[in-house]
Amino acid sequence: MKTKNILSFSLLMTFILIMGCTDQPYFDIPRDDNGNVIFTDISEVTTTGVTTADEDFTIFAHFPNAQPGDVMEAEVLKNQVPSWNPDGALQLLPLEGTKKDVTVDEDLNTSVTYTRGEADLMNVGDAVTVVFSGATDSGIIEIRLEE
């Protein structure tokens, strides 16, 4: 019995040693031709906001890592109880019918407009999150209905 424990412990330690010495890239870090890390800019997503007097609102985004002509997907998310678990906790889930494709222009900017009804912003304090996602960049912003 003692021999089995020693053998098992030795095999475990050998496995740990081998795995610790192998290259394990946890993140895909962009590098140039010389192997140097490429530092990129961060996307910027802004809005002028939305009030109860507004019928719609526009979100503006600058994607420094995108290419002109890239198609980004914009979608509104809202805290909701999931349909598959009516007794569950609130989760940030997509609102049906809010997915829109937007194209990045020559200045690496894009925008999307939603009506208050589309975004389900009915009462003061209601909040949604708008996310942009694409092959080359992404962005996110929270929007709250103001008085």
Side-chain angles (χ1 to χ4, degrees), residues 49-104:
V50 61
T51 66
T52 54
D54 300 325
E55 287 300 315
D56 56 23
F57 59 97
T58 302
I59 299 112
F60 304 95
H62 176 72
F63 297 113
N65 302 313
Q67 301 295 320
D70 281 357
V71 176
M72 305 291 282
E73 190 175 87
E75 189 166 25
V76 177
L77 309 176
K78 187 169 184 173
N79 277 321
Q80 306 171 59
V81 175
S83 60
W84 61 88
N85 186 5
D87 298 325
L90 291 174
Q91 297 180 23
L92 199 57
L93 299 171
L95 283 176
E96 192 173 325
T98 60
K99 193 178 290 188
K100 295 183 180 184
D101 288 338
V102 293
T103 304
V104 178

Side-chain angles (χ1 to χ4, degrees), residues 18-128:
I18 290 171
M19 291 306 293
C21 295
T22 59
D23 184 29
Q24 298 181 12
Y26 293 106
F27 301 100
D28 186 18
I29 299 172
R31 299 183 183 272
D32 64 14
D33 294 336
N34 297 324
N36 299 320
V37 174
I38 299 171
F39 292 99
T40 58
D41 293 327
I42 298 173
S43 59
E44 184 179 348
V45 183
T46 59
T47 184
T48 55
V50 61
T51 66
T52 54
D54 300 325
E55 287 300 315
D56 56 23
F57 59 97
T58 302
I59 299 112
F60 304 95
H62 176 72
F63 297 113
N65 302 313
Q67 301 295 320
D70 281 357
V71 176
M72 305 291 282
E73 190 175 87
E75 189 166 25
V76 177
L77 309 176
K78 187 169 184 173
N79 277 321
Q80 306 171 59
V81 175
S83 60
W84 61 88
N85 186 5
D87 298 325
L90 291 174
Q91 297 180 23
L92 199 57
L93 299 171
L95 283 176
E96 192 173 325
T98 60
K99 193 178 290 188
K100 295 183 180 184
D101 288 338
V102 293
T103 304
V104 178
D105 66 16
E106 291 297 320
D107 295 326
L108 305 179
N109 296 319
T110 192
S111 64
V112 65
T113 300
Y114 288 101
T115 65
R116 282 184 36 219
E118 280 178 311
D120 198 24
L121 293 173
M122 299 301 160
N123 302 313
V124 173
D126 284 354
V128 295

